[in-house]
Every structure is written in C-alpha cells, then in structure tokens.
Amino acid sequence: MKIAVEGCCHGELDKIYDKLAELEERDNIKVDLLLCCGDFEALRNEVDLKCMAAPPKYRQMNTFYKYYSGEKKAPVLTIFIGGNHEASNHLWELYVMLL
C-alpha cells in the first residue's frame, strides 16, 4: 500500500491531486491513500468561509467545494486531520452525523 502524506492543504485539492498524478507517472506507482495533516480547509460555501478560524486576509474558497459538490471526484481516498484554520461549523455537522 502506497500512502502519500501532505502538510497543510489549505483547500487546494486540485494542486495536490495534480502533483500526485505527476509523481505516480514519474515513479510508475499508484497511491492508495492521501493523508492530509493540518489546515485542510473543507470550505463548502461562503457561510463556511465566514466561519473559518483565520484572519480575513487568509480566507479563500480554493477548490475543496468542487469535490464536495460532486463537480469533481477525488482520484484517491483522502483522509484529513484538521488544523487550527478550519470551518468548525461544517466539521461539527459531520461529527454529529456519525454519532
């Protein structure tokens, strides 16, 4: 099993998945799992953006919402460990759904 580990993602899934594809092609491997550690920033919409625990100058939608909406599909199973700059309203909803 090949596991890729990424630091703070900051909602830039397109860039990360593009880089993974590049590495897979270069090294002739298939990554089975992506583990994102730190500021994942799973921002679905403007409400989440306003709830994000970060100064306004750092708040950007980036590309996570495309995967959340189904516009794009993650090419690899992706698990994240949130950091200190998350929209906790969204994460709390997920936690309650799992209970």
Side-chain angles (χ1 to χ4, degrees):
M1 175 180 251
K2 302 279 190 226
I3 300 172
V5 179
E6 167 72 30
C8 293
C9 171
H10 297 287
E12 291 285 6
L13 290 177
D14 283 352
K15 289 180 181 178
I16 293 168
Y17 293 143
D18 288 347
K19 181 53 87 173
L20 275 182
E22 201 178 291
L23 293 172
E24 286 177 328
E25 185 176 331
R26 184 192 75 194
D27 297 341
N28 195 29
I29 60 167
K30 175 68 180 133
V31 172
D32 302 298
L33 172 68
L34 170 62
L35 181 60
C36 296
C37 305
D39 297 338
F40 186 72
E41 297 181 17
L43 303 172
R44 305 167 295 174
N45 52 44
E46 292 294 322
V47 173
D48 289 344
L49 188 61
K50 290 177 184 172
C51 292
M52 191 170 109
K57 70 179 182 177
Y58 295 115
R59 295 180 190 170
Q60 296 179 13
M61 282 299 293
N62 296 320
T63 58
F64 170 81
Y65 73 93
K66 294 177 183 179
Y67 297 88
Y68 180 81
S69 70
E71 179 183 333
K72 289 191 167 190
K73 186 174 190 250
V76 63
L77 176 62
T78 303
I79 298 174
F80 78 93
I81 300 164
N84 60 328
H85 295 133
E86 304 295 347
S88 26
N89 62 317
H90 174 44
L91 299 179
W92 181 249
E93 289 173 18
L94 293 174
Y95 172 75
V96 172
M97 288 172 49
L98 294 173
L99 289 179

